[in-house]
Amino acid sequence: MITVKTFTFNAYSENTYLLFDETKACVIIDPGMYEGFEENQLAFFIRQESLNPVLLLNTHCHIDHVFGNSFVFDTYGLKPQFHAGELPILNAVPGYAPAMGFTRYQRSPLPNTFLPETGEVKFGNSVLSIIFSPGHSPAHLCFYSETDHLLIGGDVLFQGSIGRTDLPGGNHQQLIQNISDKIFVLPDETVVYPGHGPTTTIGFEKQHNPFF
């Protein structure tokens, strides 16, 4: 049984997720910690719950989702895993971070392992299926647990909205298509944990999302 702990970090109010099960093995997804107190918050929770971080995943590599990659590596020895198509996005961050006021951005380590377009990520007794869903960014991934009816959706689908597609590598038509073909086919009761804002469900978005 997967437990999801949500933190909202940085100037973009980005959702950072910790997923863990009864084994205490824990996955850190899209660490958005920029300030020291945010790093402390995450580390304190991990310590308090006696969790064992075993994986660092990025749905995609925009700045607000990778701020904390360096801290996670320094603290837990984990390098990020994401789709290879996001590497140019990650490599661009140090170039534009200072212009956006983030002069203390710590460069993310590079993956030893890239994630495929389809497949599984395992931790503890739990399995996450990989769903390749570009459109907001060139090689965006979502992580789905069929057993626990949950989707870590990154910036693909939000409550009543979708990810923006005006950033480099974005494609509006592709995003709409991927949500229709790959996300809306999941069971209605699936809870969506997005990169920003509150959780929602597949069923709710199919009925109420103005983009569909």
Side-chain angles (χ1 to χ4, degrees), residues 2 4 6-7 18 21 38 52 56 89 94 146 190 192 197 202:
I2 296 176
V4 181
T6 309
F7 298 90
L18 288 185
D21 66 13
E38 296 174 331
N52 171 30
L56 167 57
I89 304 296
E146 186 179 8
T190 306
V192 180
I202 297 293

Side-chain angles (χ1 to χ4, degrees), residues 93-107:
V93 174
Y96 69 77
M100 300 180 78
F102 300 106
T103 51
R104 289 179 289 107
Y105 170 70
Q106 298 289 313
R107 193 181 278 264

Side-chain angles (χ1 to χ4, degrees), residues 30 50 73 128 145 171 203:
D30 289 351
S50 308
F73 177 65
L128 299 172
S145 167
N171 183 318

Side-chain angles (χ1 to χ4, degrees), residues 29-107:
I29 304 182
D30 289 351
M33 309 83 74
Y34 180 69
E35 303 291 348
F37 74 87
E38 296 174 331
E39 296 171 349
N40 291 342
Q41 233 181 315
L42 182 97
F44 177 77
F45 183 85
I46 288 172
R47 210 164 47 240
Q48 191 184 33
E49 299 292 322
S50 308
L51 301 180
N52 171 30
V54 293
L55 277 174
L56 167 57
L57 305 178
N58 294 124
T59 57
H60 65 299
C61 292
H62 287 148
I63 187 170
D64 49 327
H65 293 256
V66 302
F67 273 134
N69 278 7
S70 172
F71 174 80
V72 171
F73 177 65
D74 292 345
T75 311
Y76 306 109
L78 300 173
K79 288 189 171 180
Q81 296 185 21
F82 49 80
H83 189 281
E86 288 292 308
L87 199 53
I89 304 296
L90 183 69
N91 287 337
V93 174
Y96 69 77
M100 300 180 78
F102 300 106
T103 51
R104 289 179 289 107
Y105 170 70
Q106 298 289 313
R107 193 181 278 264

Side-chain angles (χ1 to χ4, degrees), residues 113-179:
T113 307
F114 287 105
L115 297 174
E117 289 187 15
T118 55
E120 292 177 342
V121 177
K122 297 184 171 136
F123 67 101
N125 297 329
S126 305
V127 178
L128 299 172
S129 301
I130 296 170
I131 301 174
F132 185 63
S133 46
H136 169 71
S137 69
H140 193 297
L141 300 175
C142 300
F143 300 101
Y144 171 59
S145 167
E146 186 179 8
T147 314
D148 292 282
H149 309 292
L150 67 88
L151 179 78
I152 305 298
D155 289 357
V156 170
L157 181 67
F158 300 120
Q159 188 187 71
S161 189
I162 60 171
R164 54 188 290 193
T165 53
D166 58 341
L167 298 165
N171 183 318
H172 182 78
Q173 194 43 52
Q174 188 184 39
L175 183 62
I176 295 286
Q177 197 72 53
N178 278 318
I179 295 172

